[in-house]
Amino acid sequence: MGKKKGNLVVGQSGGPTAVINNSLVGVIHEALTQRAIDGVYGMLHGIAGVIHEEFVDLRCESAETLELLRNTPASALGTVRYKVTDKDYERLLQTLIKYDVRYFFYIGGNDSMDTTHKIHKLAVDRGYELHAIGVPKTVDNDLACTDHCPGFGSAARFVAAAVRNTGYDTRAMGDSGPIKFVEIMGRNAGWLTGATILGKDTPDGGPHLIYLPERGITEKQIVADVKRCLDDYGFCVAAISEGARDTKGKEFGKSGPAEKDAFGHERKGGGIDYLAALIKEELGITARIDKPGYLQRSFGETISLVDREEAYQAGRSAVRAALAGESGKMVTFERQPGSHYAIEMGLAQLSKVANVEHKVPAEYINEAGNGVTEAFIEYVRPLIGAPLAPYGRLACNLVVKH
Amino acid sequence: MGKKKGNLVVGQSGGPTAVINNSLVGVIHEALTQRAIDGVYGMLHGIAGVIHEEFVDLRCESAETLELLRNTPASALGTVRYKVTDKDYERLLQTLIKYDVRYFFYIGGNDSMDTTHKIHKLAVDRGYELHAIGVPKTVDNDLACTDHCPGFGSAARFVAAAVRNTGYDTRAMGDSGPIKFVEIMGRNAGWLTGATILGKDTPDGGPHLIYLPERGITEKQIVADVKRCLDDYGFCVAAISEGARDTKGKEFGKSGPAEKDAFGHERKGGGIDYLAALIKEELGITARIDKPGYLQRSFGETISLVDREEAYQAGRSAVRAALAGESGKMVTFERQPGSHYAIEMGLAQLSKVANVEHKVPAEYINEAGNGVTEAFIEYVRPLIGAPLAPYGRLACNLVVKH
């Protein structure tokens, strides 16, 4: 079973990551070893490539190109953000049949898992033998049924480095610029915002404050938190989710025109700009802002080697699963017990993954809602690969005043 | 001459860089070899450390710490943004005399060179033998009398990598997000914005547009430029200086309340946000934005090894110059003729450097004002160290439609 000879098609979907091409190369490399697989096709711009019958012949790609892609961020086949309609699915299946596609791999997040699931179901309904397997991918790390998602580790490494670097800068500035807010991706899930904790390399270093979207927080607490950091450390570095919100669940800065904040002031600007304006009004100090934006998911120079290898193996594993007869499943990572980090690949039903958001659980967020717990640090530490290179600090023995 | 035994003091000033500690370590290492130098003191937070008599004993720092500092961004001694007053100078000199300081090194930009120059002059006036030498530092690369400035090369490497990475991401997004604007530091000088060109690794890759503050540009041209890129490449990546301005010299987004733009629309938000709103209105497409902010000057993971070594040697060179009797000078880099990149260290009068802004000359900016010239690329290429690691692109041979 599952050995029906036919063509393979693979696509990349949703937001790119720094290692998503490793999953693509993993699929290709494994496909090239399998006799049951004839054509190895890539969808241009994800499912849109199937709709428009735009496939590229991946057997034509050189080994050198594939090797380079292992260090190349963003989706080499192009990606798409398109919500597939019910009407599309019938056509998608007909296209797969027309191109004799028996092996379907979609590298993406929970929307893409939904697409893969529906294609799988339709093929079953129509009695067409198709092996459809999802390969997880998201810097948001919000897919269910897996310990973590390929792409997250590299984004985590970048944001940890970013917050450490800008934190050192902020410490150096002293009174000339003592507050730094860094906006982190993940509107609904705070995994990446939490991962900035790995940039903290001294007890008094940043990030001092971490605000995740899972836990609402009052403006008064934020002001008090920042003030306490200034008092304790002389500077304050905060990692703030783009989806940080108040205790009523409303995102900061999404207040509509002329709405007043808890302090009775009007303020404009979204999210982190809003909070910086809050600090300026309440403490009289300008909070400087970094918005690394899309660098978080694309910065090739800080790829996590663990993430890179896992993304690759996820691709290979997906092909092996399909060849073993599986369909309607997503590759998962299962962390193995023991003191050394290790994962095993598994499979989960796509129906349990599709459209589900796996958020940061309560035990990973500290009581005050402004940081993460030791359990979270243990969870996330191995995913960024080797620790960040050590930085130095002067001992600063003061010369006795004359 | 210049061998009067005494203490040395060194400070870091202005915005930190990723390699400014190399200049500090260079000063320390060289000082430790010089018998004429007794105490090796560091100013805490630059000149404020002299004013408050807060000096640290750098002879107490371990060799290991100094080695770590060579890879540690931001000013290890702390920095300061403080405009020294005339009244301060008398006190500064008295403090230097009180601490028997004969060697004074200040690592900074043009403000700091002014400070160093004034201290030098006052010492001469008072007949106090002091050797005051400036060590250049600025990611803006805007100091006069030197080929380039330590700190610039590493920031240039970061922004080149950043624009390349986010450019690959933008290309992958296709119609789902085809425009990316990246805000680059340097309000008055576009050296760093121009350096993003080193992230362009294919003829159709980004950055497609580079807007420097030296050359005003109309909003209509920006809209036309972006539209042309979309037509030609299917996506558009623009590196935009935080000081980008119109042909009247007014920075975009600095229009005051309710002022209307050239298109008769009201728009709010500064700089790059303003231009993104312009594009949204004129082309109906959302331009996505990255504001890497302080990461540009602090990202330790992308230090240019050329920059790192030059910053170090600038520190050593400053001490040797002082020991040779010099004062009132800044260390400079003189690029040597020939096909291989090489520099020699020189010295310039601080009076010629203080408060002067060296901007990007006309021959480095293209005619249209939306890019840089080959001459600029030749100038900047060696400063980022080794080229960025190569990325891969699929050949994308299309499968014949069935």
Side-chain angles (χ1 to χ4, degrees), chain A residues 52 55 57 61 72 79 81 99 165 169 172 176 288 290-291 294 297 301 392 395-397 399 401-402, chain B residues 52 55 57 61 72 79 81 99 165 169 172 176 288 290-291 294 297 301 392 395-397 399 401-402:
Chain A
H52 302 119
F55 298 114
D57 186 348
E61 301 295 338
T72 305
T79 186
R81 283 197 188 280
Y99 283 80
N165 287 322
D169 187 282
S176 305
R288 291 157 197 264
D290 296 327
K291 294 182 184 180
Y294 297 90
R297 69 187 196 191
E301 284 72 11
C396 282
N397 291 311
V399 174
K401 287 195 184 186
H402 290 197
Chain B
H52 303 120
F55 298 114
D57 187 347
E61 302 295 338
T72 305
T79 187
R81 284 196 186 284
Y99 283 81
N165 287 322
D169 186 282
S176 305
R288 291 157 196 266
D290 296 326
K291 294 183 183 178
Y294 298 89
R297 70 186 196 193
E301 284 74 10
C396 282
N397 291 312
V399 174
K401 287 196 184 185
H402 291 195

Side-chain angles (χ1 to χ4, degrees), chain B residues 28-45:
Chain B
I28 298 169
H29 279 173
E30 186 66 34
L32 296 179
T33 72
Q34 300 285 354
R35 289 197 195 168
I37 293 170
D38 193 0
V40 181
Y41 301 157
M43 314 171 198
L44 275 186
H45 290 290

Side-chain angles (χ1 to χ4, degrees), chain B residues 75-88:
Chain B
S75 317
L77 284 168
T79 187
V80 71
R81 284 196 186 284
Y82 172 70
K83 187 77 185 166
V84 184
T85 66
D86 286 344
K87 217 178 66 184
D88 290 327

Side-chain angles (χ1 to χ4, degrees), chain A residues 39-106:
Chain A
V40 181
Y41 301 157
M43 315 171 198
L44 276 186
H45 290 288
I47 207 69
V50 184
I51 291 173
H52 302 119
E53 299 182 32
E54 291 179 336
F55 298 114
V56 300
D57 186 348
L58 294 171
R59 281 191 186 270
C60 296
E61 301 295 338
S62 72
E64 191 192 4
T65 294
L66 298 185
E67 216 41 52
L68 282 173
L69 285 183
R70 296 204 60 191
N71 294 316
T72 305
S75 317
L77 284 169
T79 186
V80 69
R81 283 197 188 280
Y82 172 70
K83 185 76 184 167
V84 183
T85 65
D86 285 345
K87 218 177 68 184
D88 291 326
Y89 281 105
E90 191 64 50
R91 180 168 172 194
L92 287 171
L93 184 63
Q94 292 313 314
T95 301
L96 297 178
I97 292 170
K98 184 163 70 168
Y99 283 80
D100 193 26
V101 171
R102 298 291 179 172
Y103 302 98
F104 178 96
F105 301 95
Y106 211 28

Side-chain angles (χ1 to χ4, degrees), chain A residues 175-339:
Chain A
D175 293 342
S176 305
I179 305 175
K180 180 76 50 67
F181 284 176
V182 188
E183 185 182 74
I184 307 292
M185 279 183 158
R187 187 163 298 280
N188 298 313
W191 296 101
L192 205 49
T193 307
T196 62
I197 192 68
L198 298 179
K200 185 183 184 76
D201 62 1
T202 55
D204 60 347
H208 306 109
L209 302 170
I210 297 177
Y211 297 117
L212 292 75
E214 283 86 351
R215 182 77 78 82
I217 193 136
T218 65
E219 296 185 3
K220 293 197 180 191
Q221 183 183 336
I222 292 174
V223 172
D225 281 350
V226 170
K227 184 162 186 319
R228 180 181 48 76
C229 289
L230 294 177
D231 291 345
D232 289 354
Y233 312 118
F235 72 115
C236 174
V237 178
I240 302 178
S241 165
E242 58 182 342
R245 58 200 69 190
D246 66 20
T247 48
K248 290 171 190 146
K250 194 188 69 181
E251 288 181 32
F252 293 114
K254 286 281 176 69
S255 44
E259 187 179 333
K260 290 190 173 59
D261 63 30
F263 294 90
H265 305 298
E266 287 182 19
R267 225 174 280 121
K268 63 185 176 182
I272 201 166
D273 296 298
Y274 177 88
L275 293 177
L278 168 73
I279 293 300
K280 178 74 177 172
E281 281 174 10
E282 297 305 317
L283 301 181
I285 302 172
T286 298
R288 291 157 197 264
I289 292 174
D290 296 327
K291 294 182 184 180
Y294 297 90
L295 304 184
Q296 296 169 78
R297 69 187 196 191
S298 68
F299 209 78
E301 284 72 11
T302 53
I303 284 175
S304 155
L305 295 185
V306 167
D307 186 30
R308 178 179 180 272
E309 182 62 15
E310 289 178 349
Y312 176 75
Q313 294 299 343
R316 293 201 80 132
S317 189
V319 175
R320 286 197 296 268
L323 267 291
E326 296 284 1
S327 187
K329 304 271 175 75
M330 181 186 84
V331 172
T332 60
F333 294 162
E334 294 163 11
R335 196 179 294 221
Q336 302 303 296
S339 57

